[in-house]
Amino acid sequence: MFIFVTMDFSKPIPSYLLEKRNSIRLILFTAGFALLFINVYSPFGVTTWFNISRLELFVFSSLVILTGVLVVVISRIIMYQWGKKGRVIPLGNYLLWIAVEIVSMSLFYTLYELFILKDPRPALEAFKISMQNTALVLLLPYSVLWLYFSWQDKKMKLDALTEEQEKMPETKGMVLFRDEKGVMRFSIKNDDLLYLKGADNYVTIYYSDHQHQKHFLLRNTLKDMEESLRAMDVVRCHRSYMVNFQKVKIIEREKTGLRIKLDTLPALEVPVSKTYVESVFQLFGQHV
């Protein structure tokens, strides 16, 4: 079975690839990766080609990389200025741009080897090996940074969305629930909220969804949530329970104590402890 992955090369590249800060990061990371790659792995026996020591290799590779990276610097400056003017760069053009960077840098390295280092190998062979080395030196950090920039962009958008949601006023019939760090995790219409049940550092939110009773687990405590929810008529009736008084139908005294019956199908019951009896009756009287 063969799976063919289609790619839309006419689709514009993400804007974060053209940002000035990310362009600088790409240049610095690529230069550092190239220096580390050549000195640690000595690709394709580079020390044998020129019969040099490790120290000489470091000096040589540093000079070559610094001069070779100028190709990337010039390329990225042109790309940044192009994007700064509001012009769109399709994915196909961007990939072609990277290919030109590889070929240009490979050509530079080949000329450097042949005329400065007096490399005895044929020019075509030297260029071929330079292409292989340059492709590794550029494509690996490019791929890693593309993934990193993509993750960072999604994280920033998610943080912005979360911040925007947190600034939303708890009005218009919506109840917002935040975790122990103050981050909004769940929101629901007040009409659909039934009750909350606390256990240690977790709160289970019970709610109605198209006549089906569901729940959502939140890391927080009833104590921390009590004050913020009071304005929405969600109040404490038990050490482990808070109830939405808009859903209270009746309060009954049973052998086990007071119990709140909610206006749901099937009917739900929430216990009332002695500590909260007076406050519950006061609030219930206000709603009768």
Side-chain angles (χ1 to χ4, degrees):
M1 180 177 180
F2 295 95
I3 300 177
F4 296 95
V5 179
T6 59
M7 186 176 295
D8 185 3
F9 292 100
S10 62
K11 182 179 180 180
I13 62 173
S15 58
Y16 54 75
L17 291 177
L18 300 177
E19 292 180 4
K20 183 178 181 180
R21 180 182 61 175
N22 288 341
S23 296
I24 295 175
R25 288 178 174 180
L26 183 140
I27 292 170
L28 295 178
F29 183 74
T30 301
F33 176 83
L35 185 61
L36 181 66
F37 181 79
I38 290 178
N39 283 276
V40 172
Y41 293 101
S42 300
F44 306 103
V46 66
T47 52
T48 304
W49 300 342
F50 306 114
N51 191 25
I52 56 178
S53 65
R54 282 284 178 179
L55 179 60
E56 291 173 325
L57 172 63
F58 178 79
V59 175
F60 158 74
S61 60
S62 299
L63 292 174
V64 171
I65 290 170
L66 287 176
T67 51
V69 162
L70 287 176
V71 175
V72 178
V73 172
I74 295 172
S75 171
R76 294 294 154 166
I77 290 176
I78 295 174
M79 185 181 296
Y80 171 74
Q81 293 298 330
W82 185 277
K84 188 177 180 181
K85 295 179 180 179
R87 297 172 179 172
V88 176
I89 301 179
L91 176 61
N93 290 11
Y94 182 74
L95 297 178
L96 181 60
W97 199 304
I98 294 176
V100 172
E101 286 181 349
I102 295 175
V103 173
S104 301
M105 189 176 289
S106 300
L107 182 60
F108 168 80
Y109 287 154
T110 301
L111 295 175
Y112 196 91
E113 293 171 8
L114 294 177
F115 294 101
I116 304 299
L117 300 176
K118 306 298 181 182
D119 191 336
R121 292 174 298 177
L124 186 60
E125 181 183 352
F127 178 72
K128 179 181 178 182
I129 295 177
S130 292
M131 280 280 291
Q132 294 174 338
N133 292 342
T134 305
L136 287 173
V137 166
L138 290 186
L139 294 181
L140 285 176
Y142 278 16
S143 301
V144 170
L145 285 178
W146 192 330
L147 292 174
Y148 172 73
F149 293 155
S150 176
W151 169 82
Q152 187 181 53
D153 181 68
K154 287 182 174 60
K155 183 177 182 299
M156 291 176 61
K157 290 180 179 178
L158 181 60
D159 290 344
L161 179 61
T162 302
E163 183 178 353
E164 181 180 348
Q165 290 176 330
E166 289 178 353
K167 292 180 179 178
M168 292 172 57
E170 295 181 340
T171 56
K172 299 181 181 180
M174 296 295 295
V175 186
L176 307 184
F177 292 95
R178 295 177 170 84
D179 63 14
E180 59 183 358
K181 297 180 180 179
V183 179
M184 199 282 289
R185 297 294 185 186
F186 184 72
S187 64
I188 189 173
K189 289 183 179 180
N190 199 351
D191 292 339
D192 294 329
L193 178 62
L194 300 176
Y195 67 96
L196 313 178
K197 182 178 181 181
D200 296 327
N201 294 323
Y202 289 91
V203 174
T204 304
I205 304 165
Y206 291 87
Y207 62 97
S208 176
D209 183 10
H210 297 91
Q211 298 182 348
H212 294 285
Q213 295 171 12
K214 297 185 179 181
H215 64 272
F216 179 87
L217 185 63
L218 179 72
R219 185 175 178 84
N220 206 333
T221 63
L222 290 180
K223 182 179 180 180
D224 290 342
M225 300 170 62
E226 187 173 358
E227 189 62 33
S228 62
L229 294 176
R230 184 176 296 275
M232 306 298 296
D233 282 345
V234 182
V235 297
R236 196 80 170 261
C237 62
H238 189 276
R239 180 175 179 273
S240 301
Y241 290 90
M242 292 181 69
V243 66
N244 180 7
F245 256 82
Q246 294 186 16
K247 289 293 183 179
V248 174
K249 183 178 181 180
I250 191 172
I251 299 179
E252 289 185 346
R253 185 179 297 277
E254 300 179 354
K255 293 182 179 180
T256 56
L258 292 178
R259 300 192 70 82
I260 292 174
K261 291 189 176 182
L262 302 181
D263 189 13
T264 59
L265 291 175
L268 292 175
E269 294 185 0
V270 178
V272 179
S273 63
K274 294 180 180 180
T275 306
Y276 298 96
V277 168
E278 184 176 351
S279 60
V280 165
F281 271 111
Q282 288 178 353
L283 187 60
F284 184 71
Q286 295 174 7
H287 285 76
V288 173

